[in-house]
Amino acid sequence: MYIVQIASECAPVIKAGGLGDVVYGLSRELENQGHSVELILPKYDCMRYDHIWGLHDAFTNLWVPWYGGAIHCSVYCGWVHGRLCFFIEPHSGDNFFNRGCYYGSNDDNMRFAFFSKAALEFLLQSNKRPDVIHCHDWQTGLVPVMLYEMYKYYGMEYQRVCYTIHNFKHQGFAGVDTLWATGLNQESYYFQSDKLQDNFNPFALNFMKGGIVYSNAVTTVSPHHAWEARYTDIGYGLGHTLHLHQDRFTGVLNGIDHDFWNPETDRYIPSHYTKDNFEEKAKNKKALRERLLLQDVEKPIISYIGRLDDQKGVHLVHHAMYYALHNGAQFVLLGSATESSINNHFRHEKDFLNNNPDVHLELGFNEELSHLIYAGADMIIVPSNYEPCGLTQMIGLKYGTVPIVRGVGGLVNTVFDKDYDQTKPPEERNGYVFYQSDYHALEFSLERPLKLWYNNPEEFRKLALAGMEYDYSWNHPGEEYVKIYDRIRHKW
Ligand code: ADP
């Protein structure tokens, strides 16, 4: 099969979070299974060019219709760790992708509406006719809309779309100007509840809703989150739309790329290990302490890696840090906040705890350091308010770092409580789960592993090894996606 992924991220060249990991990991797995995969991405000024091999002009004369005229674009081509990627660079005063950051501009909706349009134009003009176009999140929600309403008539009638939602919170809202810009026009046609009109704001278009309504298959990133999105507020107002399109909607658990996340081969850690020489993990713990200037004492390290925002349960992260410090553990945090109040809060904590030899807060994005933390820490916490899939607990498991998670979304599908899980036999349980989003529930789930670490280290080791047994690679999810692609491409 010939598959084209259209996305706003692809790790490690463009990565703001899990979306980048998924786009890369899934593409690689599909290629391993014998399919032909290409990626279309924006050419941001701030992406990691050091991860692109052989970047060169591939299509210099792409004109993308925009409002009444057209914007001239260049398309570059290069390999990102073996994946063939096309990067679109528009030449216009809007500087759509030269902002020094991936997201966060006031005109994000226009930037990615343009990207969606340009990606389709590129496919059209370069005569690429994939069997399946796989789009991701709100940024590409307009791709299936424009394909079905416009490009189908220009010669792309056989292309089918799989649309994956990684986070329902960000849906992409826009006004009527997007319709004029993209050439969709027909305001009264699209501002309908069965088309793009937002379910709550009748004056807004909703890109993600468009993705759901117009795609041949819609997925989210774990089975439990698929249920939450339909039946709880976690669908952020799209539950009813998902309900109407339920026959096309499923949850497919994300995987992690074992080439990149593997303690046996990880190029960013000093000591490689497997289940059979697990004691080598201790050398990474030592290296982590040296790197972060933590004291080398007989204590477990609890870690947190992730964005610092409401979704991730920052108040619980903060509480876990002090709980760890008062209960014989060290704490390491690697996180970045886009909201200034949260950023200021953690900066203040960092200053306040500066001389404490048991804690380190690293504020910012640091891929290399994240690997050392996964390998060096004993436990990782994921206390999210909601978590569509969550990758950090799966990476933690692979590195024998015991996850302590809140029982929401994909965390429910991947972590099984050592003491209370009803679905797995004791030897297959792999972490700790709490459900309420309060301090007592969190403390209860921190107290149990800490006691186990101190009082029964052999049992703690077995728990970590049980986690390493889990195969959360892309093998299985890759097959699931191929089944979905197969199903939609045979439907005309
Ligand atoms: P998200 O909601 O951000 O997509 P996920 O758990 O799905 O959360 O994926 C997070 C990914 O981003 C993981 O690969 C994690 O290691 C990485 N990550 C998150 N924050 C940071 C950071 N500050 N520095 C380095 N890597 C990070």
Side-chain angles (χ1 to χ4, degrees), residues 10 48 93 97 127 137 150 157 193 217 366 411 422 435:
C10 172
R48 294 275 306 258
F97 306 122
N127 281 322
D137 265 351
M150 303 166 85
E157 68 268 44
S193 63
N366 189 330
L411 299 167
Q422 308 272 321
Y435 291 91

Side-chain angles (χ1 to χ4, degrees), residues 103-177:
Y103 312 120
S105 301
N106 288 335
D107 61 344
D108 273 3
N109 52 11
M110 274 299 175
R111 296 169 68 214
F112 291 102
F114 178 81
F115 170 62
S116 300
K117 173 101 185 160
L120 282 167
E121 275 299 325
F122 172 55
L123 291 176
L124 182 73
Q125 294 184 32
S126 60
N127 281 322
K128 290 178 183 288
R129 297 293 182 270
D131 298 300
V132 173
I133 298 172
H134 194 156
C135 301
H136 301 265
D137 265 351
W138 74 266
Q139 291 88 346
T140 55
L142 287 185
V143 169
V145 180
M146 290 188 278
L147 180 70
Y148 190 82
E149 297 284 4
M150 303 166 85
Y151 286 80
K152 168 170 108 174
Y153 302 105
Y154 306 159
M156 293 180 69
E157 68 268 44
Y158 297 121
Q159 279 52 60
R160 294 292 173 267
V161 177
C162 175
Y163 180 58
T164 296
I165 297 170
H166 299 254
N167 196 332
F168 281 91
K169 187 170 180 187
H170 308 288
Q171 299 181 0
F173 301 110
V176 67
D177 45 340

Side-chain angles (χ1 to χ4, degrees), residues 450-468:
L450 285 179
K451 274 194 178 147
L452 193 71
W453 193 91
Y454 275 111
N455 302 338
N456 199 341
E458 186 43 35
E459 271 298 301
F460 189 88
R461 196 179 109 94
K462 278 192 194 152
L463 182 64
L465 292 179
M468 291 179 86

Side-chain angles (χ1 to χ4, degrees), residues 183-209:
L184 284 165
N185 302 321
Q186 300 182 79
E187 183 176 348
S188 58
Y189 177 75
Y190 291 107
F191 273 92
Q192 295 286 335
S193 63
D194 63 342
K195 298 271 185 330
L196 268 70
Q197 186 181 46
D198 183 57
N199 293 345
F200 291 91
N201 178 355
F203 304 107
L205 295 169
N206 183 321
F207 290 7
M208 186 171 275
K209 182 173 171 183

Side-chain angles (χ1 to χ4, degrees), residues 15 17-18 21 261 306-307 312 334-335 364-366 374 390-392:
K15 174 168 166 175
D21 286 323
W261 298 112
R307 289 182 289 117
K312 300 290 178 184
L334 170 61
F365 195 92
N366 189 330
Y374 286 117
L391 298 180
T392 61

